Amino acid sequence: MDIETAEWWMREALDEARRARDEGEVPVGALVLFNGKIIGRGRNNPIRRCDPTAHAEIAALRQAAHNAGNYRLPGTTLIVTIEPCVMCIGAMIQARVDELIYGARDSKAGAVHSVFRLANTEELNHRIQVTGGILEEECGALMREFFAARRQS
C-alpha cells in the first residue's frame, strides 16, 4: 500500500482510537481491509469488557473473520495506531493477515520492531509484510496525552 493511502486509512483507525479514549480505554484503534474495503473495525475495550483479550486488533480481526465467514484472512491488511503486542501479532499470524501497517512504536510491549520481532520470524509458519511509522507523531501523541491525563487524575 502506498504511503498516502496508508495515511488515509490510519486516520480512520485514529477515529476508532479516539472513541476508545472517550470510553476511558487506552486509545488504540484498528481496521482490517480486504480489496480496499473495511471488513473489520476495532478499538481497545478490555476495561469495560473485563477482558484482557479485548485489544483493538483482536476486535477488528473477530469482526473481519465473521464478515468473511472464515477464520483465515489471506489478502487482508490490518491497520493499527500502535505497534501490536505479542498476543495481537500472534492472532494476525494465525489469521494469515498479509500486511500490517502501524502508527507509533510501543517501546514496552511492541512485538513487531520494538521489543520482539515476531511478524517475520522464521520460526513461525507465516510472515507479515510490515510498514511502521504511518502518522507516527499523531498516533504517539494520542497515547502520550491519554497517559499524562491519567497520571494527573
Side-chain angles (χ1 to χ4, degrees):
M1 178 178 301
D2 66 70
I3 298 298
E4 186 176 306
T5 304
E7 288 177 350
W8 192 89
W9 287 116
M10 188 62 73
R11 286 184 184 89
E12 280 284 314
L14 278 162
D15 287 345
E16 289 294 329
R18 288 184 194 98
R19 287 183 188 101
R21 175 201 61 202
D22 295 347
E23 294 169 352
E25 300 281 353
V26 175
V28 180
L31 307 170
V32 177
L33 308 175
F34 182 70
N35 289 335
K37 294 183 179 164
I38 298 171
I39 63 167
R41 287 182 179 270
R43 61 182 172 272
N44 266 13
N45 211 352
I47 297 167
R48 288 172 37 142
R49 291 188 181 269
C50 295
D51 179 357
T53 70
H55 288 197
E57 300 95 322
I58 301 298
L61 287 168
R62 285 179 177 152
Q63 188 178 78
H66 176 79
N67 288 335
N70 194 342
Y71 74 109
R72 299 280 197 222
L73 298 169
T76 60
T77 299
L78 191 141
I79 314 272
V80 63
T81 55
I82 301 299
E83 179 183 2
C85 70
V86 171
M87 174 183 68
C88 292
I89 196 67
M92 285 179 241
I93 290 166
Q94 292 300 314
R96 305 299 192 262
V97 169
D98 282 355
E99 183 179 17
L100 165 65
I101 296 172
Y102 72 86
R105 285 189 177 210
D106 182 345
S107 63
K108 296 184 189 225
V112 177
H113 288 124
S114 297
V115 179
F116 301 105
R117 295 180 176 269
L118 297 178
N120 292 302
T121 184
E122 292 189 17
E123 287 77 17
L124 298 175
N125 64 344
H126 180 70
R127 316 284 179 285
I128 300 173
Q129 178 184 336
V130 177
T131 303
I134 302 298
L135 299 183
E136 182 173 15
E137 182 52 39
E138 191 173 345
C139 293
L142 189 60
M143 293 289 278
R144 288 189 300 276
E145 291 163 8
F146 175 81
F147 285 111
R150 281 186 89 174
R151 285 189 292 275
Q152 292 177 354
S153 55

